[in-house]
Amino acid sequence: MTASPPGTLVVISGPSGAGKTSICNELLRRIPNSRWSVSVTTRPPRGTEVDGQSYRFISPEEFRRLEAEGALLESAEYLGNWYGTPRAPVEEAIRAGETIVLEIDVQGGAQIARKMPESVRVFVLPPTMDTLRARLAGRHTESAALQEKRLAEADGEIAFARTSGAYDFFVTNDILEDSVNEILDILRRRHAR
Ligand code: 5GP
């Protein structure tokens, strides 16, 4: 029996409201043998979020324990909450030749760039800052104050993505279908190498 070729780790980052989650859902639907990396977070669930689907919601104590055990591949603090990627499912997916999709912030993206340079890292940009504001306002799952905080983070995140060298690809998410096709093309080109 021959081992399957190693899988692909895909990182999708971008400011809150850029449309990362819709892009990730479409990628997962269209890429065979792909799976979503369920992050752990200390932030409370938002709207209809179900524990274990978008995130596993855990206490700060449990987060610190996982980190101390080395169970997280990367982690970062964003607006006072902690977020991290469990290591085991990523390693398992790569071993099995699958594509695993991580939706993480730029600090996490930079950690993955260092640890797993063979990963594909894409930064999603909003067409304009006004679009970002409108998309955040349309979400209705957060307070206006929290939306402002997320918006205030956006400039710094975009600047960091551009200057850190952690991202090889920048995709402006105007029309979802186009953005998804662009990322699928990037992945096809990577596999053809
Ligand atoms: P949200 O609270 O909107 O779900 O996520 C806030 C930010 O944290 C987003 O930029 C999201 O991509 C990022 N994020 C989600 N999970 C992780 C993770 O496991 N690691 C890191 N570094 N960032 C994450």
Side-chain angles (χ1 to χ4, degrees):
M1 205 173 81
T2 53
S4 49
T8 310
L9 191 163
V10 181
V11 171
I12 304 289
S13 302
S16 200
K20 286 168 298 186
T21 306
S22 310
I23 290 181
C24 288
N25 287 338
E26 265 310 285
L27 289 174
L28 291 167
R29 201 175 65 78
R30 291 182 55 183
I31 303 172
N33 299 322
S34 58
R35 64 162 112 165
W36 166 251
S37 160
V38 181
S39 292
V40 289
T41 183
T42 62
R43 99 154 151 68
R46 190 165 69 205
T48 57
E49 282 178 332
V50 174
D51 189 43
Q53 281 181 7
S54 50
Y55 288 104
R56 206 152 68 72
F57 298 96
I58 63 175
S59 65
E61 293 69 38
E62 192 177 355
F63 194 96
R64 280 195 290 274
R65 186 178 59 74
L66 290 176
E67 200 152 44
E69 283 172 356
L72 301 180
L73 185 58
E74 61 74 37
S75 63
E77 188 180 9
Y78 176 88
L79 295 182
N81 293 305
W82 283 91
Y83 296 79
T85 302
R87 179 190 297 278
V90 173
E91 291 180 348
E92 220 173 86
I94 296 205
R95 222 178 301 122
E98 297 174 355
T99 297
I100 183 151
V101 180
L102 275 59
E103 190 213 296
I104 60 176
D105 87 322
V106 287
Q107 306 168 71
Q111 292 168 45
I112 297 289
R114 272 199 309 277
K115 289 187 186 163
M116 307 181 86
E118 68 287 2
S119 57
V120 177
R121 296 168 310 275
V122 179
F123 191 83
V124 179
L125 290 159
T128 65
M129 291 314 264
D130 279 347
T131 327
L132 199 65
R133 184 180 289 275
R135 285 183 190 162
L136 274 175
R139 207 139 83 174
H140 300 306
T141 48
E142 287 160 310
S143 67
L146 205 50
Q147 287 172 14
E148 278 306 318
K149 280 196 186 155
R150 286 171 176 269
L151 206 55
E153 286 293 300
D155 285 336
E157 289 170 85
I158 294 171
F160 181 83
R162 289 213 185 278
T163 55
S164 63
Y167 294 87
D168 295 318
F169 304 100
F170 289 81
V171 170
T172 301
N173 184 30
D174 193 355
I175 295 163
L176 176 66
E177 177 73 11
D178 293 350
S179 306
V180 170
N181 284 332
E182 215 175 304
I183 297 170
L184 290 173
D185 270 350
I186 291 168
L187 294 172
R188 268 186 223 111
R189 285 201 299 274
R190 167 62 60 100
H191 287 135
R193 280 211 319 233

